[in-house]
Amino acid sequence: MINLSILETKAVIIKTQDFKENDKLVWFYTEKLGKITAIVRGAKKSKSKFLALTLPLCYGEYMVYKGKNLYTLQEGKIINSFQGLLDNLHKLTFSSYLCELIDIACSDNEINVELFRNLVTTLYLLNTDALDYELLIRAFELKLLKSTGYNLTLDRCSICRKKISSSNYISLSYYGGVCDQCPREHGLFISKGTYNALRFLMNMNVDKLYRLNLNNDIKAEIEKVTTFLICNNYARKPKSLDMLNFIKE
């Protein structure tokens, strides 16, 4: 007799896919198990108890057990469905982008409690009108890059390691600022205001972003840095980036 142990964890649904006639495959980003894929039996039926529990963006408490290849959802309870994000094109696109970033940047079963909490906090803040959406997304991108091994070095020259207070150049090969003496190749010139804003965003909790007020030029330069790093260091370019650029035009 096989003894299947039930595992309980908080999770956000980052992606779903129809499976067979009535079932779904659901990708969860979880607090205790990392990114997992689960089969949800009968989730497509209109009277299924799992219908609301398996909507994209849903954040809840889930009970799963591990099969040979996939997890299976046993029970669940919604904490916040975040379905209000679906009513606003900008919020929907930004939240979809967050979920796609998690999907492409995180390996299966790789646990990162801090990144999980940053995702949940960012979704809560996105669901309000309290913050600049773009600034919120830039902050999350930087947290994600740091969590997955692509942190920017800004207090030292990323090449010679000499301490620097600021710079007007980011090396995209060495992941950080460059002093006046080191070669400036394969990178971007940015304003010192952008450099300082990058440092601030990297060290600040996302729920404190209301303290920061940046002009459009600085936000555009930060986006150039994060977009390059994301598109060149992960397995694929997020498709949501094209939609983000489209709705900004």
Side-chain angles (χ1 to χ4, degrees):
M1 181 177 177
I2 300 174
N3 183 20
L4 297 173
S5 60
I6 302 296
L7 306 167
E8 186 172 352
T9 181
K10 291 178 181 176
V12 174
I13 294 179
I14 59 172
K15 187 169 67 171
T16 67
Q17 180 182 306
D18 290 346
F19 184 70
K20 296 184 178 179
E21 186 176 353
N22 295 310
D23 305 336
K24 274 186 185 179
L25 289 178
V26 177
W27 282 259
F28 293 95
Y29 189 57
T30 77
E31 183 178 35
K32 297 179 181 177
L33 305 170
K35 188 177 72 173
I36 64 170
T37 309
I39 186 167
V40 187
R41 309 286 183 190
K44 290 167 61 181
K45 294 181 179 179
S46 59
K47 295 183 179 180
S48 171
K49 66 178 181 179
F50 294 129
L51 184 62
L53 283 166
T54 55
L55 293 172
L57 300 178
C58 190
Y59 168 50
E61 290 266 10
Y62 294 93
M63 296 174 66
V64 298
Y65 61 85
K66 181 76 187 308
K68 184 177 179 181
N69 298 310
L70 297 170
Y71 288 83
T72 298
L73 180 63
Q74 182 82 2
E75 294 288 344
K77 181 177 71 174
I78 295 172
I79 298 173
N80 193 324
S81 68
F82 290 119
Q83 296 308 293
L85 294 171
L86 305 180
D87 298 329
N88 179 297
L89 178 60
H90 287 78
K91 291 184 179 184
L92 172 60
T93 306
F94 285 132
S95 55
S96 299
Y97 176 61
L98 294 175
C99 291
E100 190 178 7
L101 282 179
I102 292 290
D103 189 35
I104 66 173
C106 299
S107 301
D108 290 348
N109 309 119
E110 190 173 288
I111 301 166
N112 190 319
V113 175
E114 183 181 3
L115 182 58
F116 173 79
R117 290 174 181 169
N118 277 326
L119 173 63
V120 173
T121 302
T122 303
L123 287 173
Y124 269 105
L125 291 171
L126 194 57
N127 205 28
T128 72
D129 296 315
L131 292 173
D132 182 325
Y133 302 152
E134 286 189 49
L135 194 55
L136 187 59
I137 297 304
R138 300 289 86 80
F140 182 80
E141 288 172 334
L142 290 167
K143 304 291 185 189
L144 177 85
L145 287 163
K146 179 180 179 180
S147 294
T148 53
Y150 302 106
N151 192 34
L152 289 172
T153 300
L154 299 178
D155 58 343
R156 294 178 178 273
C157 174
S158 58
I159 299 175
C160 72
R161 315 306 293 177
K162 181 178 69 176
K163 280 191 175 183
I164 53 176
S165 58
S166 188
S167 177
N168 65 345
Y169 193 83
I170 294 285
S171 169
L172 301 172
S173 300
Y174 290 93
Y175 302 100
V178 178
C179 70
D180 293 335
Q181 285 72 47
C182 285
R184 299 187 168 196
E185 300 174 334
H186 311 298
L188 293 172
F189 281 98
I190 60 173
S191 70
K192 291 194 174 181
T194 299
Y195 193 92
N196 293 333
L198 278 167
R199 177 183 284 154
F200 202 68
L201 285 171
M202 286 171 54
N203 295 322
M204 173 176 273
N205 292 334
V206 290
D207 60 347
K208 299 292 191 295
L209 283 177
Y210 63 86
R211 299 177 181 177
L212 196 58
N213 184 20
L214 302 179
N215 64 42
N216 290 333
D217 290 340
I218 288 179
K219 288 192 289 187
E221 287 187 336
I222 293 173
E223 184 180 4
K224 282 183 182 179
V225 174
T226 58
T227 298
F228 182 93
L229 293 174
I230 286 166
C231 292
N232 286 275
N233 286 297
Y234 297 129
R236 66 181 190 274
K237 174 185 174 183
K239 294 179 181 177
S240 310
L241 273 179
D242 294 332
M243 179 57 77
L244 283 174
N245 292 329
F246 176 76
I247 65 175
K248 284 168 62 178
E249 291 178 358

